[in-house]
């Protein structure tokens, strides 16, 4: 069931988003997607920090035990995944209301959690950016580093396509309204990134 769900998510099919709002097991999937995305992100950040070296808050990375470095980033990664998902759900809900959808925050919350696996290809680039921001040493070359940006762009396209399907299913709106909500979502998020 999980494999079929993941395949259908990456093939941009609508069925997973119906599953998110109709299946009693969806709550478990939501929790699992949040947990696994956060764990994967946290472990990648820790691995990049270890590879970059330098210092974290004045302490050389080489002197930080692996359990602390990886454990701390793992907990941080899970918390970041939860916060990012909450932000995505709120913005998607606002945009759905903005195009005349009923809102239905519970459905939007569940359906947007199903978008998290679509963000996994972007995690190496995001984790490297996070690790590089705290590094004091020059960045070494990483294996397959040239693939990080194309994977992140693929992830963005998949995410926006999935958001379109999620809004269609949760709001029961037509393709024009759903596309409008996705466009508004994209513009809003881009404006936030410009401020940062």
């Amino acid at each position: 069931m999980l494999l079929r769900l993941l395949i259908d998510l990456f093939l941009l099919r609508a069925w997973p988003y119906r599953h998110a709002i109709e299946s009693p097991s969806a709550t478990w999937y939501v929790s699992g997607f949040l947990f696994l995305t956060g764990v994967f992100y946290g472990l990648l950040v820790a691995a990049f920090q270890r590879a970059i070296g330098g210092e974290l808050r004045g302490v050389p990375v080489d002197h930080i035990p692996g359990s602390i470095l990886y454990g701390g980033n793992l907990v941080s990664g899970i918390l970041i995944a939860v916060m990012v998902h909450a932000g995505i759900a709120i913005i998607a809900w606002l945009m759905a209301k903005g195009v005349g959808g009923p809102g239905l925050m519970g459905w939007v919350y569940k359906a947007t959690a199903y978008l998290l696996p679509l963000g996994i290809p972007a995690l190496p680039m995001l984790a490297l950016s996070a690790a590089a921001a705290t590094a004091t040493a020059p960045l070494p070359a990483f294996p397959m580093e040239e693939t990080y940006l194309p994977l992140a762009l693929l992830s963005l396209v998949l995410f926006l396509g999935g958001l379109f399907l999620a809004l269609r299913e949760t709001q029961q709106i037509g393709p024009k309204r759903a596309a409008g909500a996705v466009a508004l979502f994209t513009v809003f998020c881009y404006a936030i990134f410009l401020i940062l």
Side-chain angles (χ1 to χ4, degrees):
M1 176 67 149
L2 177 60
L3 182 60
R4 177 185 170 213
L5 185 79
L6 290 172
I7 290 170
D8 284 348
L9 280 171
F10 278 89
L11 292 177
L12 295 177
R13 294 183 176 148
W15 172 79
Y17 305 104
R18 281 194 303 277
H19 181 272
I21 59 178
E22 294 173 358
S23 175
S25 63
T27 302
W28 292 104
Y29 284 94
V30 168
S31 300
F33 290 151
L34 284 166
F35 180 78
L36 291 176
T37 304
V39 165
F40 190 46
Y41 174 74
L43 293 177
L44 279 172
V45 170
F48 282 128
Q49 286 173 336
R50 182 67 82 198
I52 292 169
E55 296 181 352
L56 291 173
R57 309 237 183 231
V59 178
V61 172
D62 294 340
H63 295 139
I64 300 173
S67 60
I68 293 175
L69 180 67
Y70 282 87
N73 278 303
L74 191 131
V75 170
S76 295
I78 293 169
L79 292 173
I80 288 168
V82 168
M83 290 186 292
V84 165
H85 173 245
I88 289 169
I90 291 167
I91 296 168
W93 175 78
L94 286 170
M95 299 312 149
K97 293 286 284 180
V99 297
L104 304 170
M105 183 58 169
W107 285 10
V108 172
Y109 179 83
K110 287 181 180 180
T112 53
Y114 279 50
L115 296 171
L116 293 176
L118 301 176
I120 288 175
L123 292 185
M125 184 173 174
L126 295 173
L128 178 58
S129 297
T134 62
T136 56
L139 296 180
F142 292 100
M144 300 187 336
E145 188 174 353
E146 64 279 356
T147 65
Y148 296 174
L149 180 59
L151 284 172
L153 293 174
L154 171 66
S155 186
L156 177 63
V157 170
L158 289 171
F159 177 87
L160 293 175
L163 181 60
F164 172 82
L165 295 170
L167 291 172
R168 295 265 342 251
E169 292 300 318
T170 61
Q171 304 303 303
Q172 296 298 305
I173 55 178
K176 287 182 182 176
R177 281 188 180 180
V182 171
L184 290 171
F185 180 94
T186 304
V187 168
F188 183 86
C189 291
Y190 182 69
I192 296 295
F193 290 129
L194 287 178
I195 293 169
L196 299 175

